[in-house]
Amino acid sequence: MKVLSIQSAVAHGHVGNSAAVFPLQRIGVEVVPVLTVNFSNHTGYGAWRGPLIPPADVAEVLLGVEERGVFPQIDAVLSGYQGGAGIADVIIDAVGRVKAANPAAVYACDPVMGNAKSGCFVAPEIPVLLRDRVVPVADIITPNQFELGFLTGTEPASIESTLASADLARAMGPSTVLVTSVERPDREEGTMEMLVVDDAGAWIVTTPHLPFKANGSGDVTAALFTAHYVTTKNAALSLERTASSVFDLIETTYRSGERELQLVQAQQFYAEPRMQFSAKQVR
């Protein structure tokens, strides 16, 4: 399997491609990483250095990859945080060219906007751009509950309302929606949930909630789920594998006392997920 991953990169820590590439490689996926920013560290520190790569330069790199005959080999295109409005056109164009070269290829979009606690943390034009132009060309999207609400103009909370919002999102274009954080009021205390919906049904998985904000964990989630889903075509199994690996990554990081994801230290959990969480079918 080969994934074209168009995302940010950091020298210190693990977000964007710096979070997604190694876990994918560890499960045997060949990754073609194309960088949209090259920062010293993620912006959560409040200060960082390094360039936002101009969309024209990103397009040049993609053209060079295409000229090497790689696009027919691409099974999935993956994108995440979009630092500026211009990069969306580059991604959409690349997706179209990859699919022309390999009609079986899929596009997985993590529509990064923000979360319920901090609100939107991207430029004001990005959420609208994602909703109106990027998400409609995606096959898989991996929003959190807050992002799902923005995309669909709803306020998902319960399983039923989250399923309804996911259906609205699927009507926009994507066939598969992974909601990476379902915070329903009636969930068991001390837990977190993820929900996936596709043509075959809907499944939810429950994991313990750790009191720790792990920058980059969403990037790992989107990458692993995409790879497992494209490989197995089984949403429930892909959800279980992803939830297992990501929980163990976050727990490893939490126990370490470090701020940045312990991506390398947790590598065995990608290669051999413990499968300690079962997905429950809810539709």
Side-chain angles (χ1 to χ4, degrees), residues 7-11 34-43 47-55 57-58 81-84 87:
Q7 299 198 58
S8 59
V10 293
V34 175
L35 311 187
T36 57
V37 311
N38 188 16
F39 289 165
S40 57
N41 51 272
H42 68 69
T43 59
W48 64 93
R49 295 182 184 273
L52 186 71
I53 299 173
D57 289 348
V58 178
Y81 170 76
Q82 298 190 16
I87 198 65

Side-chain angles (χ1 to χ4, degrees), residues 162-219:
T162 304
L163 284 170
S165 297
D167 288 340
L168 289 173
R170 294 178 72 230
M172 297 166 64
S175 58
T176 304
V177 177
L178 173 68
V179 188
T180 58
S181 62
V182 179
E183 300 185 28
R184 58 187 172 110
D186 57 340
R187 74 184 187 279
E188 184 179 344
E189 187 175 354
T191 63
M192 286 290 292
E193 294 173 319
M194 287 198 289
L195 172 76
V196 65
V197 185
D198 71 356
D199 291 339
W203 293 265
I204 196 164
V205 68
T206 303
T207 68
H209 171 64
L210 296 172
F212 176 74
K213 174 69 172 90
N215 291 91
S217 58
D219 301 318

Side-chain angles (χ1 to χ4, degrees), residues 58-162:
V58 178
E60 277 290 295
V61 172
L62 286 163
L63 179 59
V65 171
E66 183 180 26
E67 288 171 343
R68 302 289 78 75
V70 176
F71 279 11
Q73 306 167 17
I74 298 296
D75 299 292
V77 180
L78 179 64
S79 73
Y81 170 76
Q82 298 190 16
I87 198 65
D89 288 330
V90 175
I91 293 171
I92 292 169
D93 180 64
V95 168
R97 300 209 313 266
V98 166
K99 288 192 170 191
N102 177 15
V106 302
Y107 170 38
C109 169
D110 185 6
V112 178
M113 303 175 198
N115 55 61
K117 289 183 180 178
S118 60
C120 279
F121 49 64
V122 297
E125 65 271 18
I126 298 297
V128 176
L129 187 65
L130 287 167
R131 181 192 64 200
D132 295 347
R133 299 202 51 224
V134 182
V135 166
V137 302
D139 301 288
I140 301 168
I141 60 170
T142 60
N144 59 35
Q145 204 168 20
F146 171 84
E147 292 159 345
L148 177 65
F150 178 87
L151 290 173
T152 58
T154 60
E155 295 183 2
S158 65
I159 289 180
E160 292 74 19
S161 61
T162 304

Side-chain angles (χ1 to χ4, degrees), residues 9-24:
V10 293
H12 168 66
H14 301 289
V15 299
N17 266 334
S18 301
V21 171
F22 177 64
L24 288 173

